[in-house]
Amino acid sequence: MAMGAGKESLPGGGAWELDGPEVDALLIIATSEANSDLYYATRFLAPDPFAYVRSREGSFVIMSDLEYGRARAQARVDEVLSLSHYEEQLRCRGAAEPTLLDVLDEVLRERGLKRLLVPAAFPLEQADGLRERSYTVRSKKDPFFPERLVKSHEEVAYILETQRHTEAAFDAAVQALRAAEIRGDTLVLDGEVLTSEGMKRLINLKLMEQGCVAQHTIVACGNQGVDPHHEGAGPLRPHQSIIFDIFPRSAHTRYFADMTRTVVKGRAPDPLKRLYATVLEGQLLGISLVRAGAAGAEIHQAIHALFEQRGYRTGLQGGRMQGFFHGTGHGLGLDIHEPPRISRVAWTLQRGNVVTVEPGLYYWDVGAVRIEDMVLVEGDGCRNLTSYPKFLEV
């Protein structure tokens, strides 16, 4: 990696600086399969925990024999240190069963690194162990790497690739809906009742064929969709709203995409048509307001005000929340939910953020509508990364 005085290039194209003279090094101990910050820093995917350290002198990881060779070939760090080499060193000095923390202590002492900055979710046991060894350990609130919020050209390309696979999977679902027959209050395809589970299986298999992994895909019909995170279950019904929310991750690049569409098989009742038209108007308003320097809270409030003006109020009705009661959007990349937010929380959008714009309206026995695109924040507006059309009736 390219190195400079107190700085080094990040995979995302930004730069990281040590947080003042009171910090010697940045430390993460985690599995990179689960910890996106660790994967971002190393671009090395491993299922077992390892230690990553970055100081002014460079970056290194401490790897077991199992991963040592692969890490030397793949990890974007300056050094790959052998865990077993240091374990043997410690055994020669009388340590019976050296731990990763013992080895880390040995390496940090060799390099004179005593003041450590760790993520907010750093394991308490490890932090206590380091403090017992006289290290100063302080945590940093997320985002641990603020540079992750600003996507490089490479990262945008990865997100776009996942999005195209998402759109293809949704289109397969639309084609299945178009081919289905309406029989009473059910939909029948190839002689079988079309269900939420069957539709999710179709979508997820299509994504798997394209090297993407989908979890918690939403296909929620009618009143199920009034709970925005209801994944959907049972038969899909004609003439009712069906929310499709698809957010897979590429197994190759690890980058997510996210898209929501609401459709009706058959004829949408007039109240549902009005609901859809209002959500679409709100979504297009939100997209038009996205630009570098824009306040996410102001975008969210503008959409909320529009819905109120159109007569769609938000609040507790019939013992449940109805109306527009979630945020307008969120960042995404290596995680499905990343900063910044477009919601009541104060965030200022930056050029290079990738965010969703996904307002929704939810009313029991009327229907549920959510429409979501991903956009790339630019200086004077945004670029919509979602190309799939928006329509209500299939």
Side-chain angles (χ1 to χ4, degrees), residues 293-355:
E298 292 179 5
I299 297 172
H300 177 72
Q301 182 53 40
I303 297 173
H304 201 283
L306 172 68
F307 289 168
E308 292 274 334
Q309 291 167 10
R310 297 292 182 266
Y312 294 104
R313 299 190 179 279
T314 297
L316 200 61
Q317 301 177 35
R320 67 176 61 247
M321 285 300 296
Q322 301 189 60
F324 179 33
F325 49 89
H326 58 70
T328 291
H330 57 84
L332 84 166
L334 287 171
D335 289 311
I336 186 58
H337 288 151
E338 299 181 354
R341 299 280 179 162
I342 304 177
S343 66
R344 288 177 294 181
V345 178
W347 279 98
T348 300
L349 301 182
Q350 297 175 267
R351 183 195 296 268
N353 293 156
V354 173
V355 295

Side-chain angles (χ1 to χ4, degrees), residues 12 17-18 30 41 47 57 72 92 96 124 145 153 159 187 196 215 232 269 290 293 324 340 356 365 371 375:
E17 295 186 43
L18 287 172
E57 284 67 50
R72 289 196 62 180
C92 289
L124 179 61
F145 290 125
H153 294 303
I159 294 169
L187 302 176
S196 172
Q215 291 184 302
V290 171
F324 179 33
T356 66
D365 288 337
I371 305 171
V375 300

Side-chain angles (χ1 to χ4, degrees), residues 206-252:
K206 182 74 173 177
L207 287 164
M208 189 181 300
E209 290 171 356
Q210 302 300 319
C212 295
V213 178
Q215 291 184 302
H216 307 297
T217 298
I218 294 172
V219 181
C221 184
N223 285 332
Q224 291 180 355
V226 177
D227 177 354
H229 280 171
H230 195 307
E231 293 181 20
L236 299 177
R237 308 293 182 186
H239 319 304
Q240 296 184 21
S241 59
I242 308 173
I243 290 182
F244 289 80
D245 194 343
I246 309 170
F247 41 98
R249 178 184 228 164
S250 167
H252 172 60

Side-chain angles (χ1 to χ4, degrees), residues 52-206:
Y52 165 82
V53 177
R54 177 179 287 163
S55 70
R56 289 179 176 83
E57 284 67 50
S59 59
F60 63 85
V61 292
I62 302 172
M63 283 294 172
S64 68
D65 290 345
L66 176 65
E67 301 289 13
Y68 180 75
R70 191 167 66 91
R72 289 196 62 180
Q74 297 176 6
R76 296 190 192 178
V77 292
D78 296 303
E79 294 179 85
V80 177
L81 306 182
S82 167
L83 178 67
S84 62
H85 169 79
Y86 281 92
E87 287 174 336
E88 184 59 30
Q89 211 170 267
L90 289 167
R91 287 192 189 96
C92 289
R93 296 213 304 269
E97 294 292 337
T99 65
L100 173 60
L101 203 61
D102 293 328
V103 169
L104 179 62
D105 177 39
E106 182 82 355
V107 175
L108 293 175
R109 288 181 186 279
E110 284 180 355
R111 298 170 186 235
L113 306 174
K114 296 292 294 182
R115 297 166 298 182
L116 308 173
L117 185 67
V118 301
F122 191 81
L124 179 61
E125 182 180 10
Q126 306 281 26
D128 286 345
L130 286 165
R131 289 180 178 125
E132 288 170 3
R133 292 165 168 82
S134 301
Y135 291 91
T136 299
V137 181
R138 73 179 176 89
S139 64
K140 179 185 177 185
K141 292 181 180 179
D142 290 333
F144 192 60
F145 290 125
E147 298 81 3
R148 274 185 59 191
L149 278 57
V150 177
K151 304 300 188 284
S152 68
H153 294 303
E154 180 184 49
E155 289 176 300
V156 172
Y158 289 158
I159 294 169
L160 265 172
E161 180 183 37
T162 309
Q163 176 60 20
R164 294 300 166 256
H165 297 322
T166 303
E167 294 177 6
F170 176 61
D171 192 63
V174 170
Q175 298 311 316
L177 278 178
R178 286 182 174 148
E181 298 179 18
I182 297 174
R183 296 185 187 173
D185 67 345
T186 60
L187 302 176
V188 177
L189 180 65
D190 297 330
E192 296 185 359
V193 173
L194 192 57
T195 64
S196 172
E197 291 85 353
M199 194 64 86
K200 284 182 280 191
R201 185 163 55 249
L202 183 155
I203 291 167
N204 293 346
L205 285 173
K206 182 74 173 177

